[in-house]
Amino acid sequence: MTYSPIKMGVIGLGRGFALSARGLRAHPDIHLIAGANPSEAARKAFEATFDGQTYPNYSDMLRDPEIEIVYVATPHQMHSAHVTDCLNAGKHVVVEKPITIDLGEARALTQLAADKDLHLLVGPSHSYDAPVAQAAATIESGALGQVKMLHMLTATDFMYRPRRPEELQTSAGGGVIFSQAVHQVDVAMRLIGSRPVSVFAKTGNWDPERPSEGAFMAIVSFENGAHASLTYSGYGHYDSDAQMDGVSELGVAKPADTYGKARRALKDVTDEATFKRTRAFTGIDGLPDPTHHEHFGPVTVFCERGDIHIGMDRVSIYGPDKIETIDCPFDYSRKDFAQAIVNLLRTGRKPMQTGAWGHDALATCHAILDSARTGQPVSINPLKTGDT
């Protein structure tokens, strides 16, 4: 079934948008008609790729009455202002994770969307990945009983990718907690099917030249009694892609000579912020061309009557009597994220990843930091209202 195309505008044509551009362009029911970014080069690339209008100032873009939804893909610290302006302009919004940095701002954004009768979604995140969705469907069927535990391990070179200064400042949303832990929390929330209520965590800040949290371990407890063990290291040594058939997070097969590549490349950079701008949107041809689903490392879910393991493009179900493998054929990148937007605006079917969801994921990230600082478990108050 096809619908009248959703006309989308984008604020921010940097790395976040670049990773979603291929998937959004591939969906027949989404038309990217406008983009806003200070960089003339990024604007020209958008115009050439999507034949859309571009603006140096996003406020001018928001005056376009044809735009139905805006994708906010700007740096974390800008989310609150940009989402607020979009909602006040009468636009639905999908905002890159995390929803924002400050919890009070997250609550305010969710409430504003509810007051305006507009939709606020958070994404993309790995909770949209097709194998995660397949595992969630198996859990929801009830065949294996309730989820009791979940384990997730991710190890990357995140801390040695080119960064702007604020991306290494925890208070500005830097380090792995707000950018990476939120993926693991999102996946756990979707698979467990409940909201987080407490966290006990330890964090690692091991490189004085990259002064923010680069690793963490957390036990997250949920309202339904389940618990998730989440472990992440971004220090570029062991790579959990080894457990995912040597395929990267973005669904691209990794060459054999990638070990230490990020650290080596960084040594030759004199202006890291300028170097990062080379990773912004330059057109579809400059983007990764995946042949597999995106992923965030191996995930194992332990249920009452069986277990589930999420691997590369497949889900293995360890039931009471047999092992079943469900293949998840790859179509195109971030298809499920794009389809969630269409489902919402054309059929009224809400995804789980609403503003309230984004608040709870952000609250869990803050709880990880608070628990590591105090050495004590930290309670979370899930957002019960304003589920927009």
Side-chain angles (χ1 to χ4, degrees):
M1 182 179 295
T2 58
Y3 308 93
S4 60
I6 293 168
K7 295 182 178 180
M8 176 183 284
V10 182
I11 301 177
L13 303 178
R15 183 66 173 172
F17 168 69
L19 296 178
S20 298
R22 188 186 295 275
L24 292 172
R25 190 180 75 159
H27 200 292
D29 297 323
I30 295 178
H31 288 183
L32 286 160
I33 67 167
N37 201 80
S39 165
E40 182 180 5
R43 295 198 306 271
K44 286 183 176 180
F46 184 94
E47 292 169 1
T49 303
F50 301 104
D51 193 27
Q53 177 70 43
T54 60
Y55 305 82
N57 189 320
Y58 75 91
S59 297
D60 295 331
M61 187 188 78
L62 293 181
R63 297 189 184 97
D64 184 343
E66 289 196 323
I67 295 173
E68 188 172 354
I69 187 168
V70 177
Y71 176 19
V72 175
T74 50
H76 303 343
Q77 70 273 17
M78 298 179 181
H79 288 181
S80 182
H82 291 165
V83 173
T84 297
D85 289 346
C86 291
L87 293 172
N88 283 330
K91 312 297 185 185
H92 302 295
V93 180
V94 54
V95 58
E96 277 278 347
K97 53 77 190 166
I99 184 172
T100 184
I101 299 171
D102 181 80
L103 270 175
E105 290 178 351
R107 289 190 291 270
L109 294 177
T110 304
Q111 188 60 54
L112 179 61
D115 292 343
K116 297 283 187 180
D117 196 23
L118 293 167
H119 296 297
L120 173 59
L121 303 184
V122 180
S125 70
H126 286 292
S127 63
Y128 289 92
D129 292 348
V132 174
Q134 177 60 62
T138 300
I139 292 166
E140 290 162 8
S141 74
L144 300 180
Q146 292 185 349
V147 175
K148 293 299 183 181
M149 299 188 303
L150 177 149
H151 177 69
M152 192 168 183
L153 166 69
T154 315
T156 73
D157 58 7
F158 179 86
M159 292 300 286
Y160 299 103
R161 299 168 192 169
R163 298 290 168 210
R164 298 182 304 274
E166 70 272 15
E167 291 182 292
L168 295 172
Q169 299 171 13
T170 304
S171 61
V176 303
I177 304 302
F178 295 105
S179 290
Q180 301 289 278
V182 69
H183 279 300
Q184 290 190 331
V185 172
D186 277 2
V187 169
M189 287 170 63
R190 181 160 191 186
L191 294 175
I192 290 174
S194 183
R195 289 184 165 179
V197 292
S198 69
V199 173
F200 180 72
K202 298 293 183 181
T203 58
N205 189 334
W206 305 327
D207 185 344
E209 294 185 2
R210 315 296 280 177
S212 187
E213 289 76 18
F216 74 92
M217 298 179 66
I219 301 294
V220 183
S221 299
F222 290 78
E223 282 183 326
N224 65 359
H227 306 278
S229 167
L230 309 178
T231 300
Y232 185 98
S233 172
Y235 284 111
H237 298 294
Y238 175 70
D239 187 341
S240 55
D241 291 342
Q243 296 186 50
M244 304 300 285
D245 300 348
V247 175
S248 76
E249 176 186 349
L250 299 179
V252 179
K254 279 188 169 180
D257 60 349
T258 57
Y259 185 79
K261 184 177 180 180
R263 289 192 301 274
R264 290 193 299 272
L266 202 58
K267 289 179 180 178
D268 298 327
V269 174
T270 55
D271 185 344
E272 194 170 342
T274 298
F275 181 46
K276 172 151 189 178
R277 285 196 288 272
T278 66
R279 290 157 55 90
F281 183 69
T282 58
I284 295 294
D285 291 342
L287 299 176
D289 190 7
T291 54
H292 302 270
H293 289 295
E294 295 187 5
H295 70 84
F296 211 57
V299 184
T300 306
V301 186
F302 302 91
C303 304
E304 290 177 306
R305 296 190 294 276
D307 303 326
I308 300 172
H309 182 75
I310 301 175
M312 193 68 253
D313 297 342
R314 61 186 177 271
V315 174
S316 298
I317 303 169
Y318 298 80
D321 303 311
K322 64 179 181 178
I323 301 173
E324 178 185 4
T325 298
I326 301 176
D327 291 327
C328 302
F330 174 75
D331 190 351
Y332 60 82
S333 179
R334 305 201 175 184
K335 176 181 179 179
D336 294 86
F337 166 61
Q339 188 61 46
I341 296 171
V342 175
N343 290 344
L344 176 64
L345 297 185
R346 292 295 179 263
T347 73
R349 179 153 56 96
K350 289 184 180 180
M352 298 178 71
Q353 297 90 342
T354 62
W357 170 287
H359 168 278
D360 293 350
L362 178 66
T364 306
C365 291
H366 278 284
I368 289 172
L369 291 171
D370 291 345
S371 178
R373 184 178 63 253
T374 63
Q376 300 296 320
V378 172
S379 296
I380 300 170
N381 294 317
L383 193 62
K384 298 293 187 181
T385 59
D387 201 16
T388 62

